[in-house]
Amino acid sequence: MIWKFITPLARRSINQAKISFRFLETETSIPVSTSHFERPPLPLITSRDLPYKSKYQETRQAWLCNMDTVEEEKLGLVDLHPSIFAVMPRLDIIWHNYNWQKKYRFVDFVTEPSRAELRGGGRKPWPQKGTGRARHGSIRSPIFLGGGKAHGKRGPRTTFFMLPMSTRVYGLTNTLTCKYAQDDLVIVDSLNIPTDDPKFIEELIEERKWGVSVLFINECDIMPRNITLATDKMESVTLMPFYGLNVYSMLKYDTLVLTLESLNRIEERLLFNLHRSDINQGKFNRTKFNQSVLMNSD
């Protein structure tokens, strides 16, 4: 009834006000686009397809962290394969791998001279008979003080030996399990940092309580520029590609930092060797070993 008594001009102004009010409502209700951000909204749950899933072991999980800020940001959760990060730790296998790596780098250069390599001793020290003493032909004999060494060390000599493939694979899985169980395993999205100042890495390690020494594992041997320059003169920090990961280095450093891509590559290599049919067959063949390394390397 009231609408009939309103003039046409007033009706027109009321309709314009309604349209403008609806336009303001639609503008405020539109969600803000997040396309200009570097990351999607947190927390981000990272799902990974794990091959050779076990029916009896639960999948382990770890936080995915960032490296572009000193303060730690949890970007999401990453599934870890239980055949690699949830095995029963065997210290004997870890010790065999540690002892093997320590020995194959050692070369004994000690050379002890024999009686023929010493100066003097060509003259018979006393006559063969008539003196009541034992018969001798040279004072450089091994039984004389200052004489040569019988069956002495003849360096350079190495104690190199080769562990079976299964022991090496199980050594990596056992050590990775121990690192994960002790909370010394960190997974990051990448090794890109905003600056090449070494103080940034020092503050990041101190803030996140990574310990005295840190081992960074990348998916390739070409490292990001900033982290390479920042850790160039830091003796307690080492950068390593994923195919160089070994038991000795994991035990040497307090914290193991893996990128997400290097984690995928490590799991792929280890699962392939864990499920191959010839892992426990045959003796070590150096030629076949070198050929397999060349074929599997990228």
Side-chain angles (χ1 to χ4, degrees):
M1 297 295 292
I2 301 176
W3 186 259
K4 294 181 180 180
F5 299 101
I6 300 177
T7 61
L9 183 62
R11 291 178 184 177
R12 189 180 305 171
S13 60
I14 291 172
N15 291 332
Q16 289 179 355
K18 286 182 179 178
I19 292 172
S20 61
F21 181 72
R22 289 177 183 173
F23 179 74
L24 290 173
E25 279 187 344
T26 54
E27 274 192 338
T28 55
S29 61
I30 294 176
V32 180
S33 175
T34 57
S35 60
H36 62 280
F37 291 103
E38 295 183 359
R39 302 194 196 97
L42 302 180
L44 173 66
I45 306 299
T46 305
S47 60
R48 299 170 66 237
D49 294 331
L50 302 178
Y52 304 106
K53 288 186 177 180
S54 176
K55 298 180 181 179
Y56 310 104
Q57 288 181 306
E58 295 183 359
T59 302
R60 300 304 191 267
Q61 288 184 331
W63 286 109
L64 179 66
C65 305
N66 68 320
M67 282 281 292
D68 52 359
T69 58
V70 174
E71 294 79 14
E72 184 178 14
E73 277 187 63
K74 297 189 185 318
L75 307 182
L77 287 171
V78 179
D79 294 333
L80 302 178
H81 204 288
S83 298
I84 299 175
F85 295 95
V87 300
M88 180 61 69
R90 287 187 54 182
L91 298 182
D92 57 330
I93 293 181
I94 297 177
W95 181 87
H96 283 310
N97 281 268
Y98 173 81
N99 187 48
W100 166 61
Q101 286 191 253
K102 192 172 67 172
K103 279 191 173 181
Y104 77 64
R105 301 187 305 167
F106 175 73
V107 179
D108 189 4
F109 290 95
V110 176
T111 301
E112 296 175 330
S114 63
R115 60 183 294 174
E117 295 173 339
L118 293 175
R119 291 185 58 191
R123 173 179 174 271
K124 192 173 178 64
W126 48 78
Q128 181 80 357
K129 295 181 178 293
T131 61
R133 307 178 70 180
R135 60 196 78 173
H136 294 287
S138 175
I139 60 172
R140 296 295 177 252
S141 174
I143 63 177
F144 274 83
L145 186 64
K149 183 74 173 178
H151 312 294
K153 294 182 178 180
R154 307 297 296 177
R157 179 175 172 269
T158 179
T159 57
F160 172 79
F161 66 97
M162 202 65 190
L163 276 181
M165 173 68 75
S166 59
T167 308
R168 285 177 277 152
V169 173
Y170 294 147
L172 290 172
T173 57
N174 279 267
T175 311
L176 286 171
T177 298
C178 292
K179 283 289 183 182
Y180 173 75
Q182 295 172 351
D183 201 17
D184 292 331
L185 178 68
V186 180
I187 301 174
V188 296
D189 53 350
S190 67
L191 297 182
N192 294 317
I193 57 177
T195 177
D196 58 356
D197 189 4
K199 292 184 179 179
F200 179 84
I201 291 291
E202 293 176 358
E203 293 176 359
L204 185 143
I205 293 174
E206 185 178 357
E207 174 71 21
R208 303 189 185 187
K209 297 178 174 58
W210 283 356
V212 178
S213 55
V214 181
L215 177 62
F216 290 97
I217 304 296
N218 197 25
E219 62 269 14
C220 61
D221 50 8
I222 301 176
M223 306 292 174
R225 178 181 180 275
N226 286 343
I227 195 170
T228 303
L229 295 176
T231 61
D232 186 26
K233 297 183 180 180
M234 299 177 65
E235 297 181 355
S236 60
V237 177
T238 300
L239 304 177
M240 183 182 294
F242 80 98
Y243 53 79
L245 186 66
N246 57 88
V247 175
Y248 188 90
S249 297
M250 284 192 285
L251 296 177
K252 179 180 178 181
Y253 293 89
D254 292 338
T255 304
L256 176 65
V257 180
L258 303 175
T259 62
L260 188 59
E261 184 61 29
S262 65
L263 175 65
N264 295 331
R265 305 294 290 275
I266 290 170
E267 284 190 351
E268 180 184 356
R269 287 285 186 90
L270 289 178
L271 289 173
F272 168 75
N273 286 285
L274 284 172
H275 293 86
R276 60 189 297 180
S277 59
D278 58 341
I279 188 171
N280 292 318
Q281 297 176 3
K283 296 183 179 179
F284 172 70
N285 190 319
R286 190 179 298 276
T287 305
K288 292 183 179 179
F289 175 74
N290 293 335
Q291 292 176 355
S292 65
V293 169
L294 292 175
M295 290 175 61
N296 294 329
S297 62
D298 297 331

